[in-house]
Amino acid sequence: MMKYLIVLLLLVSLAKSGLAVECSATCSNEFVNSCYPFHVNNQGKTPEQAYNQCRSELDGDNMRNCIGEAGCTNTAAMQAIAPNTPSPSPPSPSPPSPSPPSPSPPSPSPSPTNGATTLSQGLSTWTFTQSWSQETNYERDVSVKVTTNGGSLRPIIVLHGAGGAGLSTINGLSYLQYQNTVLVGPSGYGQRWNAVNEDTKAPDVDLIHLIVTKLATYDNVNMSAGVTLVGISNGCGLIQRILIDLDDQAIQRAACIVSTLTTSTYRNGNFYSRLDDSVVANTHPFGFTTIANPTTDVARMIWIFQGTVDPLIPYNGGQSNIGVEFVAATTAIAAWATHYGSTGQPVVDSSTYNDMPMYIYLGGQIVLHEVTNAAHDAGGNSHVQERVLELSQAEPSAITTPSPSPSPPSPSPPSPSPSPSPSPSPSPSTSPPPSPAPPSP
């Protein structure tokens, strides 16, 4: 903190003396490659509006990699996307004409319907109205907790397990309530999420999309950093559906705690969607019959945490007493890694945590955390919590190509995955992973 104050005072001093200080390379990279494309591609802003918004975040010390650089001058890359400024006209010998009016500032972004533009410290409730086969105009309350010192807020959506609720889950995940965060805790209909075979038929994937859209309407929520999803058990089941069905590029990270894919949502090398939740067969595959192609337009980070002796969600896969069949944890993580372009075996890190070997793909984008001798309470492990916290603070994911707002899953088979980019990995273990090899490249 003292370092940032010294840098800030130095910048102010230099600004007063008329000397320009160029923005750092890391600051420029976030400005050009994260903030600017996010506002153009996701928020529908003009290039000028996107540039001005990012410049405002930088100069307000609300851009993560630019803290202490308020007032710095553009790098060449930043200047290349800056709005064009007209060259000064040469002096005219004739009497001066009246000066043209100053250009109007860019129009403000749309505000939330309640007229607020910022989220304030403390607890509040949002309400969304949905209709489906079981309810008409049903009001769904969502708990929202903001922890802030005035900085830009990192958005985290937390999804409870069966029998839970949004507010109690926010309170239970107190380690995520660090400075400048907004935790959003929706509640499932009947305290369940519509993941596979639950009694609820509520449009829960749509609810998450509505929440993400609302978060983007607040000017102190740092959507360019991306939204993190954290789901426990049944909440993780919903996350798997979100990752498969929702193309929203703002969703960039997912922590799946004590659950994974089922053979309804992934089998024979394909992901599957259920297009109509109102009519659900009560046997496998529970209506998941349409081959899906989850988006790769954003390099989502997917971290799964699974106990090796979980009696409810078997680590090695198989039938569960909740009525569905689960994919082995190692097979599930390999499926996501292959989809994002991995063609080899994971790097195995058994040294960082002695009770939690990690199977790492794509330099840490896709990771299985094998919580040794843990049951269905693995989320209480301090190392699990440490890694979930780390994920929520990760850098924005790379957006590879612009994509439209969420679209229905494609009925066609998935297209071939791109080749992986090499990246450094933690020290590998010499022991092989405890699972069959992932699908052939």
Side-chain angles (χ1 to χ4, degrees):
M1 185 64 184
M2 182 59 68
K3 180 182 72 173
Y4 290 141
L5 287 174
I6 293 171
V7 172
L8 187 56
L9 288 171
L10 179 59
L11 286 169
V12 171
S13 175
L14 289 171
K16 287 181 178 178
S17 66
L19 297 176
V21 179
E22 187 175 78
C23 300
S24 68
T26 54
C27 176
S28 176
N29 181 61
E30 180 171 356
F31 191 105
V32 173
N33 296 318
S34 294
C35 184
Y36 180 83
F38 172 80
H39 286 293
V40 171
N41 298 331
N42 287 52
Q43 302 302 305
K45 292 183 179 178
T46 66
E48 181 176 355
Q49 288 173 333
Y51 171 87
N52 289 337
Q53 176 64 37
C54 293
R55 190 70 227 194
S56 174
E57 290 180 19
L58 190 163
D59 292 333
D61 262 353
N62 287 326
M63 193 172 289
R64 181 174 180 179
N65 289 319
C66 303
I67 299 297
E69 298 191 43
C72 62
T73 61
N74 284 350
T75 62
M78 293 164 66
Q79 191 59 38
I81 59 174
N84 292 326
T85 53
S87 303
S89 303
S92 170
S94 56
S97 309
S99 300
S102 300
S104 302
S107 303
S109 302
S111 298
T113 53
N114 62 6
T117 57
T118 60
L119 283 172
S120 301
Q121 172 83 17
L123 190 64
S124 61
T125 302
W126 294 345
T127 301
F128 298 90
T129 302
Q130 291 185 298
S131 296
W132 65 96
S133 59
Q134 295 166 309
E135 297 285 354
T136 301
N137 295 329
Y138 186 81
E139 292 189 346
R140 306 190 69 175
D141 289 339
V142 175
S143 297
V144 181
K145 186 167 186 179
V146 173
T147 305
T148 181
N149 61 6
S152 188
L153 305 175
R154 277 239 168 181
I156 305 171
I157 299 175
V158 298
L159 302 172
H160 62 75
L167 181 56
S168 60
T169 303
I170 288 175
N171 292 334
L173 297 174
S174 57
Y175 63 91
L176 291 177
Q177 297 173 32
Y178 53 91
Q179 199 64 263
N180 295 323
T181 55
V182 50
L183 267 64
V184 183
S187 294
Y189 180 68
Q191 297 182 291
R192 299 289 190 279
W193 296 114
N194 184 1
V196 179
N197 67 335
E198 294 76 12
D199 290 337
T200 171
K201 305 298 181 285
D204 292 329
V205 174
D206 291 344
L207 176 64
I208 302 307
H209 175 55
L210 291 172
I211 291 171
V212 172
T213 301
K214 186 174 179 69
L215 281 165
T217 65
Y218 291 94
D219 57 16
N220 65 332
V221 175
N222 185 8
M223 294 297 285
S224 62
V227 175
T228 301
L229 305 178
V230 178
I232 303 167
S233 192
N234 183 220
C236 174
L238 178 59
I239 283 180
Q240 297 292 342
R241 287 199 69 181
I242 292 167
L243 295 174
I244 292 170
D245 292 341
L246 197 53
D247 290 348
D248 196 325
Q249 290 181 353
I251 296 174
Q252 297 189 7
R253 292 171 291 277
C256 244
I257 304 171
V258 297
S259 193
T260 185
L261 290 164
T262 68
T263 56
S264 296
T265 51
Y266 181 81
R267 59 189 181 275
N268 302 324
N270 291 315
F271 294 96
Y272 282 84
S273 290
R274 182 168 63 201
L275 300 186
D276 186 357
D277 281 323
S278 64
V279 180
V280 179
N282 56 7
T283 57
H284 176 79
F286 301 102
F288 288 88
T289 56
T290 301
I291 292 178
N293 185 18
T295 184
T296 54
D297 288 339
V298 57
R300 286 172 171 164
M301 298 179 71
I302 302 172
W303 290 7
I304 294 176
F305 302 83
Q306 186 66 41
T308 58
V309 293
D310 190 330
L312 195 63
I313 315 294
Y315 181 84
N316 293 316
Q319 193 68 31
S320 166
N321 61 16
I322 63 173
V324 297
E325 183 181 4
F326 284 89
V327 173
T330 48
T331 303
I333 206 69
W336 281 115
T338 301
H339 184 71
Y340 279 100
S342 175
T343 57
Q345 294 284 344
V347 171
V348 184
D349 177 2
S350 300
S351 59
T352 301
Y353 303 106
N354 58 12
D355 62 344
M356 192 173 72
M358 296 183 289
Y359 300 89
I360 302 167
Y361 292 90
L362 301 173
Q365 178 191 340
I366 311 293
V367 184
L368 168 64
H369 301 74
E370 179 187 272
V371 192
T372 307
N373 295 324
H376 203 60
D377 56 356
N381 181 295
S382 62
H383 293 152
V384 171
Q385 295 177 5
E386 181 179 322
R387 287 287 283 172
V388 174
L389 175 62
E390 179 182 339
L391 180 67
S392 76
Q393 298 172 327
E395 292 300 312
S397 300
I399 295 178
T400 55
T401 57
S403 71
S405 295
S407 53
S410 167
S412 57
S415 21
S417 302
S419 299
S421 302
S423 37
S425 304
S427 303
S429 161
T430 54
S431 59
S435 65
S440 301

